[in-house]
């Protein structure tokens, strides 16, 4: 049976790729069709018509894109597609009854992890009344939920995700990979946690080390992959002793298979970080950690059910900075019970950690999360399942959020935003440091670090000005609030234009540094398949606002600092030198 799997493919969509492999293992034909923006709809319709699948499955993960996927469903039906149309993912599963009620285009909604579900649907398409884990309509049109059997416990039994092509960073293919699924905490704002709980069974599961090594060995020796982006919600285990043993086993097993001189990126909770584990991960090639800071206020952490302390956050950042890796984090500075003291604590946190790229926003309410339930109980939840909304209870904090959200919207949330660009510059520098430390000078490093600090300082300065503003604005004076919003927007945008220009100059330096070596380099030995070059090395784009980048065709996701070709340079030697220099400095 033919199945079309449709979803975002800006980077490897592991959900779709795992399902494609599962379908093929059971004798079906699966096609992955990218849907990255609404402009893709005509091309998707043509591909679906050419494939003529019995099932079209939409990967509806993100609330922010849910309406786009509903538009796609309507467009498919209007184009004449009459076969089974299903959807899955966090958003679809947690809002299955509403979707089935509001959109007749959908025949079913899958409620958990997709591998077994999509295969069961394909094999019982003539009658899905007994297929576990689907929301469907009965013969009378009533919406029925078939209870789930629970998410699979044995992740090692799953086939490896299908690999068709690879993105490249500085000539080295990168692959996304999972060593676990789920998370061992239950944060109030987390839709991923809610989705795993709704699927039933164990929420947190891990793959065996031999299984992970087998996949990484294949990617390394056959496809030439040198960068591994672990997409685990938390790469660490709750028990630090067991985590250290697991990382040590992974490192030793990879080295025994000749998988060396690689770079890895992970996500982590601050209370997972310790020096022993970081030492082993540094051996493996750790260059990036997305750290779940979320809030620096103890009150805020408690309200978000983080089960983490500010001390743990401070300790984690100190350790990670000592290992000199790329750290990025987000601050959920605003939640329903935020008060001005909480905001001030977060501002002082930014001040203390001005060296690391960050972003900030409000904790949003998603279906079935603890935050959504609390807001509903407090009767302050507004909007609908396509986008819930609320007002912060404290009036001054709400005014702060309104001004900050308006002023920083492009800097924080746009794909071209300065905060994302700040992270990209550091990310790229750290990759070069891992693979080509001999190309980097202290002066170039200082340019990168200064750019990060200057961006953060500008954000901190503007937020501090907003803090002072809201102390003086009369809560009933809406005109004064509008003036404050507009004036701060102009100030932030002016800063973004200037800083973006500085960042572009650094981007060009990093690119030129790489280009001087690129012609002398060869692809790593062992590559047996052609690697599609998805990224191109772009030059500087004059920045005069977000629209200027769009007009010139600049896409930071597809363009930037990346080239092709190259052999790895041993990081161990550089690491030993760095360690020796630190020890000498302490002496």
């Amino acid at each position: 049976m033919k199945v079309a799997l449709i979803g975002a493919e800006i980077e490897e969509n592991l959900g779709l790729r795992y399902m494609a492999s599962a379908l093929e293992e059971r004798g079906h034909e699966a096609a992955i069709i990218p849907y990255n923006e609404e402009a893709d709809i005509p091309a998707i319709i043509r591909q679906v018509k050419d494939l003529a699948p019995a099932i079209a499955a939409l990967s509806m993960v993100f609330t922010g894109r849910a309406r786009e996927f509903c538009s796609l469903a309507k467009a498919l039906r209007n184009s004449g597609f009459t076969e089974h149309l299903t959807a899955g993912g966090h958003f679809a599963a947690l809002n299955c009854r509403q979707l089935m009620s509001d959109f007749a285009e959908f025949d079913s909604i899958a409620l958990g992890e997709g591998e077994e579900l999509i295969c069961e649907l394909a094999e019982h398409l003539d009658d899905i009344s007994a297929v576990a884990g689907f929301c469907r309509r009965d013969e009378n049109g009533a919406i029925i939920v078939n209870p789930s059997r629970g998410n699979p416990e044995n992740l090692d039994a799953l086939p490896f995700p299908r690999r068709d092509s690879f993105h490249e960073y500085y000539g080295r293919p990168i692959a996304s990979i999972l060593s676990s699924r789920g998370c061992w905490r239950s944060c109030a704002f987390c839709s991923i946690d809610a989705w795993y709980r709704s699927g039933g069974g164990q929420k947190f599961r891990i793959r065996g080390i031999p299984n992970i090594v087998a996949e990484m060995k294949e990617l390394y020796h056959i496809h030439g992959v040198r960068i591994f982006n672990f997409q685990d919600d938390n790469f660490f285990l709750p028990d630090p002793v067991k985590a250290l043993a697991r990382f040590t086993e992974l490192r030793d097993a990879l080295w025994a298979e000749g998988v060396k001189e690689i770079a890895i990126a992970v996500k982590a909770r601050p209370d997972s970080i310790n020096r022993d584990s970081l030492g082993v991960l540094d051996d493996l090639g750790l260059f990036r950690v997305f750290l779940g800071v979320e809030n620096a206020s103890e009150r805020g952490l408690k309200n978000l059910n983080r089960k983490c302390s500010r001390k743990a956050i401070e300790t984690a950042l100190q350790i990670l900075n000592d290992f000199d890796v790329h750290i990025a984090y987000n601050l959920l500075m605003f939640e329903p019970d935020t008060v001005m003291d909480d905001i001030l604590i977060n501002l002082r946190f930014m001040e203390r950690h001005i060296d690391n790229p960050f972003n900030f926003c409000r904790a949003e309410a998603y279906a079935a999360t603890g935050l959504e339930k609390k807001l509903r109980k407090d009767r302050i939840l507004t909007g609908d399942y396509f986008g819930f909304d609320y007002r912060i209870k404290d009036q001054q904090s709400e005014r702060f959020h309104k001004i900050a959200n308006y002023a920083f919207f492009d800097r924080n949330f746009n794909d071209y935003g300065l905060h994302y660009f700040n992270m990209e510059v550091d990310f790229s520098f750290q990759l070069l440091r891992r693979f080509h430390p001999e190309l980097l000078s202290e002066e170039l490093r200082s340019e990168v670090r200064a750019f990060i600090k200057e961006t953060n300082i500008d954000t901190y300065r503007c937020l501090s000005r907003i803090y002072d503003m809201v102390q003086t604005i009369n809560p009933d004076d809406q005109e004064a609030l509008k003036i404050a919003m507009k004036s701060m927007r102009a100030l932030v945008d002016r800063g973004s234009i200037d800083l973006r220009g500085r960042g572009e100059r650094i981007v060009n330096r990093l690119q030129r540094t790489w280009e001087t070596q690129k012609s002398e380099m060869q692809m790593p030995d062992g590559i047996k398949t052609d690697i599609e070059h998805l990224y191109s090395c772009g030059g500087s784009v004059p920045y005069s606002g977000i629209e200027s980048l769009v007009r010139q065709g600049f896409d930071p996701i597809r363009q930037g600092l990346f080239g092709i070709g190259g052999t790895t340079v041993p990081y161990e030697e550089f690491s030993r030198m760095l360690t020796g220099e630190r020890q000498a400095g302490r002496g």
Side-chain angles (χ1 to χ4, degrees):
M1 179 176 290
K2 294 181 180 180
V3 180
L5 302 170
I6 305 170
E9 265 280 298
I10 293 171
E11 60 181 12
E12 287 180 305
N13 187 323
L14 287 181
L16 298 185
R17 290 167 183 265
Y18 266 110
M19 286 191 287
S21 293
L23 285 163
E24 289 166 353
E25 188 176 64
R26 284 161 72 160
H28 304 287
E29 180 182 341
I32 295 175
I33 302 177
Y35 181 32
N36 296 327
E37 56 185 355
E38 283 197 270
D40 295 335
I41 288 179
I44 293 170
I45 289 172
R46 288 194 297 272
Q47 290 177 74
V48 169
K49 281 184 176 180
D50 291 342
L51 181 66
I55 300 171
L58 310 187
S59 176
M60 296 179 67
V61 176
F62 303 110
T63 300
R65 292 200 63 203
R67 291 189 189 276
E68 291 180 32
F69 276 84
C70 291
S71 296
L72 174 60
K74 287 179 177 290
L76 284 169
R77 291 304 192 200
N78 291 337
S79 72
F81 181 74
T82 59
E83 303 301 322
H84 194 94
L85 184 59
T86 190
H90 310 146
F91 176 85
L94 295 174
N95 298 286
C96 60
R97 287 185 177 275
Q98 295 95 321
L99 278 174
M100 292 289 287
S101 175
D102 294 343
F103 296 91
E105 289 80 8
F106 292 108
D107 294 306
S108 67
I109 302 289
L111 304 181
E113 294 177 5
E115 295 88 359
E116 182 65 22
L117 291 175
I118 195 68
C119 290
E120 287 289 304
L121 180 63
E123 289 157 13
H124 299 87
L125 194 56
D126 56 337
D127 181 14
I128 67 169
S129 61
V131 179
F134 277 92
C135 181
R136 60 183 179 85
R137 298 184 187 86
D138 67 11
E139 60 276 7
N140 299 315
I143 297 171
I144 306 294
V145 174
N146 294 353
S148 173
R149 296 195 190 102
N151 291 318
E153 293 186 11
N154 182 13
L155 300 182
D156 291 355
L158 298 173
F160 297 157
R162 181 206 284 176
R163 308 287 184 176
D164 300 311
S165 59
F166 297 86
H167 295 183
E168 293 182 351
Y169 283 37
Y170 288 118
R172 283 158 183 80
I174 181 171
S176 292
I177 188 170
L178 285 168
S179 70
S180 67
R181 291 187 181 183
C183 182
W184 35 272
R185 290 296 191 199
S186 298
C187 299
F189 56 88
C190 186
S191 62
I192 297 172
D193 172 74
W195 181 67
Y196 278 118
R197 281 190 283 105
S198 71
Q202 288 188 1
K203 194 180 69 165
F204 179 64
R205 294 140 294 143
I206 62 175
R207 294 172 63 185
I209 294 299
N211 187 248
I212 300 169
V213 170
E215 183 179 1
M216 293 180 71
K217 177 183 174 182
E218 177 182 302
L219 290 167
Y220 183 92
H221 289 297
I222 296 178
H223 300 293
V225 170
R226 293 297 183 268
I227 309 168
F228 294 87
N229 183 18
F230 283 91
Q231 297 282 13
D232 307 44
D233 299 310
N234 184 8
F235 188 65
F236 289 69
L237 302 180
D239 184 334
V241 175
K242 291 181 179 178
L244 177 60
R246 180 172 169 82
F247 298 153
T248 303
E249 183 184 357
L250 177 62
R251 178 198 63 190
D252 294 348
L254 287 172
W255 286 0
E257 295 291 350
V259 180
K260 297 181 178 181
E261 298 174 7
I262 61 174
I264 66 171
V266 305
K267 302 173 187 175
R269 287 176 54 91
D271 50 7
S272 299
I273 301 296
N274 62 74
R275 292 188 184 276
D276 290 340
S277 288
L278 260 291
V280 176
L281 294 178
D282 186 61
D283 289 343
L284 264 175
L286 181 69
F287 80 99
R288 180 187 192 267
V289 176
F290 188 87
L291 192 67
V293 171
E294 314 304 358
N295 203 298
S297 162
E298 295 287 359
R299 252 178 46 89
L301 290 168
K302 182 178 180 182
N303 292 340
L304 296 172
N305 198 37
R306 284 290 290 160
K307 306 291 186 187
C308 185
S309 68
R310 186 166 68 234
K311 181 179 179 181
I313 294 169
E314 300 278 3
T315 300
L317 285 167
Q318 180 64 55
I319 293 170
L320 290 168
N321 279 310
D322 285 348
F323 277 90
D324 198 19
V325 299
H326 167 63
I327 309 164
Y329 66 88
N330 189 45
L331 283 175
L332 297 178
M333 279 178 57
F334 310 104
E335 42 87 14
D337 295 299
T338 295
V339 296
M340 291 299 287
D341 282 349
D342 299 322
I343 292 174
L344 185 59
I345 289 169
N346 278 287
L347 289 176
R348 296 289 169 77
F349 180 84
M350 292 177 193
E351 179 185 318
R352 289 195 304 278
H353 299 285
I354 213 73
D355 291 340
N356 303 123
F358 71 91
N359 208 342
F360 71 89
C361 62
R362 184 180 73 167
E364 299 301 329
Y366 301 113
T369 62
L371 182 56
E372 185 258 348
K373 292 173 183 177
K374 173 181 168 51
L375 291 169
R376 200 175 290 280
K377 181 181 177 182
D378 292 347
R379 297 183 178 180
I380 58 173
L381 186 70
T382 58
D384 59 27
Y385 66 103
F386 283 107
F388 290 119
D389 198 4
Y390 64 90
R391 292 174 62 89
I392 298 171
K393 296 173 186 176
D394 178 69
Q395 288 189 14
Q396 279 192 325
S397 300
E398 173 63 16
R399 287 197 297 277
F400 189 110
H401 173 255
K402 274 190 173 181
I403 297 171
N405 186 61
Y406 183 80
F408 281 89
F409 192 84
D410 279 345
R411 188 179 288 197
N412 285 7
F413 306 119
N414 197 292
D415 286 342
Y416 307 97
L418 182 65
H419 283 153
Y420 291 122
F421 184 63
N422 200 23
M423 295 177 189
E424 181 185 331
V425 171
D426 194 38
F427 177 97
S428 302
F429 178 85
Q430 290 292 351
L431 266 183
L432 274 181
R433 185 181 73 85
R434 271 286 165 187
F435 291 119
H436 291 287
E438 79 284 355
L439 297 181
L440 303 178
S441 65
E442 281 303 306
E443 193 268 339
L444 181 53
R445 176 189 174 90
S446 73
E447 287 293 314
V448 172
R449 304 313 301 170
F451 172 69
I452 293 166
K453 289 180 183 180
E454 288 164 9
T455 299
N456 292 345
I457 288 170
D458 189 73
T459 291
Y460 168 64
R461 181 185 293 119
C462 291
L463 287 172
S464 295
R465 180 174 291 193
I466 294 171
Y467 184 89
D468 291 336
M469 276 183 172
V470 299
Q471 313 287 337
T472 61
I473 296 176
N474 186 321
D476 298 322
D477 191 344
Q478 293 301 308
E479 188 60 31
L481 180 62
K482 290 178 182 178
I483 291 171
M485 292 167 67
K486 290 179 181 179
S487 66
M488 288 308 304
R489 176 65 174 260
L491 182 64
V492 171
D493 283 350
R494 282 198 300 271
S496 293
I497 291 169
D498 178 58
L499 286 162
R500 180 83 194 202
R502 297 187 204 179
E504 287 290 347
R505 289 192 288 274
I506 296 171
V507 164
N508 285 333
R509 273 198 73 179
L510 289 169
Q511 181 182 320
R512 287 194 301 270
T513 300
W514 163 249
E515 289 289 336
T516 59
Q517 295 283 322
K518 188 174 69 170
S519 61
E520 303 172 9
M521 298 175 183
Q522 302 296 323
M523 288 294 288
D525 293 338
I527 296 181
K528 298 178 182 177
T529 58
D530 292 330
I531 308 299
E532 181 180 355
H533 175 43
L534 299 180
Y535 288 111
S536 62
C537 289
S540 176
V541 178
Y543 183 76
S544 59
I546 300 304
E547 295 77 10
S548 71
L549 296 178
V550 177
R551 284 196 303 270
Q552 297 184 57
F554 182 82
D555 186 341
I557 295 173
R558 296 183 177 88
Q559 292 178 261
L561 322 178
F562 315 117
I564 59 172
T567 57
T568 57
V569 172
Y571 176 74
E572 290 84 352
E573 181 179 352
F574 173 72
S575 185
R576 284 194 298 271
M577 292 170 58
L578 185 64
T579 303
E581 288 170 1
R582 286 176 180 158
Q583 290 173 347
R586 285 195 293 269

